[in-house]
Amino acid sequence: MTAIVDFLNSILWGYVLVYGLLAVGVFFTIRLGFLQFVNFGEMVRAIRGSRESDVHGISPFQALCTSLASRVGTGNLAGVAVALYLGGAGAIFWMWMVALVGMATGYAESTLAQLYKVRDGKGQYRGGPAVYIAKGLKAPWAAAIFAVCLIISFGLVFNAVQANSIADAMQGAFGVPKLGVGVVIAAFAGIVIFGGLRKIVRFAEFVVPFMAGAYVLLALGVMAMNITEVPGILALIVKSAFGLEEAAGGAAGSITAAMLNGIKRGLFSNEAGMGSAPNIAATATPAPHHPSSQGLVQAFGVFIDTIIVCTATAVMILLAGVLEPGSGVTGTQLTQQAMEVHLGEFGGYFIAIAILFFAFTSIVANYTYAENALIYLRGGNTLGLTLLRFAALGMVIWGGYEAVVTVFNAADASMGLMATINLIAIVLLSGTVVKLTKDYLAQRKEGLVPHFKSKDYPELHEKIDSNIWH
C-alpha cells in the first residue's frame, strides 16, 4: 500500500500537478483575457456587494469566509516554513506564481459550481465539481471518484493533520498534553459541525476576518519595524527563484527545488484548481444573479490566502534570520522561532494561538466540503451525515496525538487524484466559462447589473436547473 501511495505521489506531484496546475492557470489566464489582473477591481466590487442571501443559499461573503477558513490554515504558517526550508526563499516566488495564475483557475471552477448547482432535499443549494462533472460532462463515474477522494482527503485525513498542528503548537507553547488538546478540539468542532451548514458559515463569517486580520496586522507591524530590510528580502525571493543568488535555507540556489516546493505548498495553501472551494461556492446565492459573480469572489480568496497571508509569514521568517539548512527546524517550530525573534516569548504564544484558530476553522470548513460530496453520493440522510461527523471528529482526536506522516502521504495522493480530475473537467468546460465571463463583463460595460438569462444558453437547457436560473 505504501509503495502504491508513493508511486501515485511521484507521478501526480512530480509531473501531472506541478506542471498541470501552472499550465491550466496560464490557459485560463489567457482564455479569460487576464481577468484576474484586468478586472481585479471587479473582484473587490463583487465582495462589497456580497452580503445578500435567501432561504436556499448562504451569502457570497459567507461562502468566501468559509472557503478562506479552509484555505487559511496550517499551510499559511507551517507550510510556508516547510517550503522555505526545502526550497529556499525562491519557493515563495513560485507560491506567488501558482496563486496569480490560480486566481483564474479558482474563478473558473467556482463559476461552474454556481452554474450547475442543484437543490438538496431541504431546498438548500448544493454543487461543486462532482455535480458539474456529472451534468456538464456526463461522466458520473468520474464525479463519484472525485467525491470519494474529497471525503477521504478533506473530511478525514486533513482534519487529523490540522489537529496534529494544533496539538504540537499547544504542547510547545504551553506544555498541554496532545491527547487532551485533540479531545477538546473535537468537542468544540462537534458543536459547530452538528449545527449544520448555516451554523458553520455563520461561525466562519465571524471568526475568519478577525483571525486573518489580526495575523496580517501583526505581520505588517513586524515589517514596519524592519522596513529597511524588507526590499532586500523581496529581492532575495525573486533572485533565489531563478538561482541568481544563494537562497537563505534549504536547497539553496536550486531552481527545481524552489519550484517544486513552492507549487506544492502553494496548492495546499490556496487550493486553486483542487476542486475544494467550489463545493461551498455552489451553496451561495450570487449577488448579482450571475454565476460569474461568485467566481470573482472566490478568485479573490486565492489572492488573500497566498499573496497576503503566506507572504506575511515568509517575510517574517526571512527577516528573523532563523532559517538554517539541515538544522531540522522547520514547520510550526520554525515559524514560532521567527516570531520569538521579533516579539520575544509572546511571539511563540501568538503563533500557537494563531494556529489554533487557523487550523480549527479549517477543520469545520473541510467538513462542509465532505458533507457536500456525501450528499452527491446520496449518503446525505441522517445516518450518513451522523457517521461522517463522528468519523471526522474521531480523526481530529487521533490526529491530536498520533504522527500523521504516512496518512498525510495518502491524503496527498487522494488530493492529487481529485485535483487531476477537476483540472481536466474545467478545461473541457472552459468554453462555457468564457461565454459566461464575456456575458458578465459585457453587461457591466453597458452599465447594467449582470443577470444570467438561461435563454441565451440553449446548449445548457438540459444540464442546469431552470428553477434556479429562471
Side-chain angles (χ1 to χ4, degrees):
M1 184 64 184
T2 302
I4 294 172
V5 168
D6 289 344
F7 173 75
L8 280 174
N9 278 331
S10 66
I11 297 297
L12 292 173
W13 289 104
Y15 301 97
V16 178
L17 288 178
V18 168
Y19 302 106
L21 280 166
L22 283 177
V24 172
V26 171
F27 170 77
F28 275 107
T29 297
I30 295 172
R31 282 213 73 180
L32 298 175
F34 297 87
L35 175 78
Q36 67 269 46
F37 306 110
V38 177
N39 298 103
F40 186 82
E42 186 61 34
M43 293 181 185
V44 178
R45 184 178 184 177
I47 292 172
R48 285 210 312 267
S50 64
R51 293 285 187 168
E52 299 176 18
S53 63
D54 61 21
V55 294
H56 302 295
I58 63 178
S59 75
F61 183 73
Q62 288 175 324
L64 172 65
C65 288
T66 307
S67 68
L68 280 174
S70 175
R71 286 186 174 116
V72 179
T74 55
N76 299 77
L77 283 79
V80 170
V82 171
L84 285 169
Y85 183 79
L86 296 177
I92 305 306
F93 175 86
W94 294 108
M95 289 185 77
W96 292 343
M97 291 303 101
V98 82
L100 289 174
V101 299
M103 289 173 71
T105 311
Y107 164 82
E109 60 183 356
S110 290
T111 297
L112 288 169
Q114 264 290 309
L115 176 67
Y116 288 101
K117 68 185 178 185
V118 295
R119 289 195 184 113
D120 64 15
K122 297 180 180 178
Q124 288 188 310
Y125 293 140
R126 295 286 182 176
V131 175
Y132 61 68
I133 290 168
K135 297 179 72 173
L137 296 178
K138 302 294 184 183
W141 60 271
I145 294 173
F146 176 92
V148 170
C149 287
L150 189 146
I151 291 171
I152 293 171
S153 299
F154 284 84
L156 302 175
V157 181
F158 286 171
N159 283 345
V161 175
Q162 300 287 358
N164 192 262
S165 297
I166 296 174
D168 277 344
M170 290 295 115
Q171 186 182 56
F174 306 107
V176 182
K178 295 176 73 173
L179 178 59
V181 173
V183 171
V184 171
I185 293 299
F188 279 101
I191 293 172
V192 180
I193 287 173
F194 275 91
L197 176 65
R198 290 189 180 271
K199 188 165 186 176
I200 292 172
V201 299
R202 282 195 294 270
F203 171 80
E205 183 181 25
F206 173 75
V207 174
V208 170
F210 167 77
M211 104 188 155
Y215 184 75
V216 171
L217 282 174
L218 188 67
L220 290 174
V222 169
M223 291 182 202
M225 290 187 294
N226 301 273
I227 191 63
T228 56
E229 298 175 50
V230 171
I233 293 296
L234 296 176
L236 171 68
I237 290 172
V238 176
K239 290 178 181 178
S240 299
F242 300 98
L244 301 177
E245 184 169 331
E246 289 296 297
S254 171
I255 299 175
T256 302
M259 184 176 178
L260 291 178
N261 286 284
I263 292 174
K264 187 173 181 178
R265 290 304 106 196
L267 172 65
F268 180 72
S269 178
N270 67 54
E271 301 179 15
M274 194 188 298
S276 53
N279 289 277
I280 197 66
T283 67
T285 301
H289 190 71
H290 194 288
S292 289
S293 63
Q294 182 59 22
L296 291 165
V297 169
Q298 292 297 331
F300 193 74
V302 177
F303 180 86
I304 293 173
D305 172 86
T306 305
I307 306 301
I308 295 178
V309 182
C310 286
T311 301
T313 301
V315 171
M316 284 193 295
I317 291 174
L318 292 171
L319 282 171
V322 294
L323 188 61
E324 296 181 10
S327 66
V329 178
T330 184
T332 302
Q333 189 180 1
L334 178 60
T335 308
Q336 283 182 309
Q337 282 191 10
M339 193 62 83
E340 287 171 357
V341 169
H342 296 300
L343 301 174
E345 191 175 359
F346 168 77
Y349 296 147
F350 178 82
I351 292 298
I353 298 300
I355 284 180
L356 171 63
F357 276 100
F358 280 33
F360 182 80
T361 53
S362 289
I363 288 170
V364 296
N366 287 349
Y367 168 78
T368 65
Y369 298 163
E371 180 182 288
N372 205 49
L374 185 65
I375 289 172
Y376 170 77
L377 294 171
R378 301 188 180 182
N381 52 45
T382 301
L383 176 61
L385 292 177
T386 301
L387 289 175
L388 177 64
R389 289 165 180 171
F390 277 114
L393 297 176
M395 289 295 284
V396 168
I397 296 173
W398 178 80
Y401 71 90
E402 190 67 52
V404 293
V405 175
T406 302
V407 181
F408 193 49
N409 285 339
D412 268 348
S414 181
M415 179 178 71
L417 184 57
M418 62 178 270
T420 301
I421 294 171
N422 184 58
L423 289 174
I424 293 170
I426 62 177
V427 168
L428 293 175
L429 293 169
S430 60
T432 300
V433 177
V434 172
K435 185 174 180 179
L436 286 166
T437 307
K438 289 180 177 177
D439 177 33
Y440 181 95
L441 296 177
Q443 292 187 58
R444 276 292 190 211
K445 193 172 182 179
E446 292 174 15
L448 303 173
V449 176
H451 196 90
F452 178 80
K453 303 178 184 67
S454 59
K455 65 181 178 61
D456 295 334
Y457 297 81
E459 71 277 13
L460 298 176
H461 283 178
E462 300 299 320
K463 298 179 179 180
I464 63 175
D465 189 330
S466 58
N467 292 319
I468 293 175
W469 295 111
H470 57 78

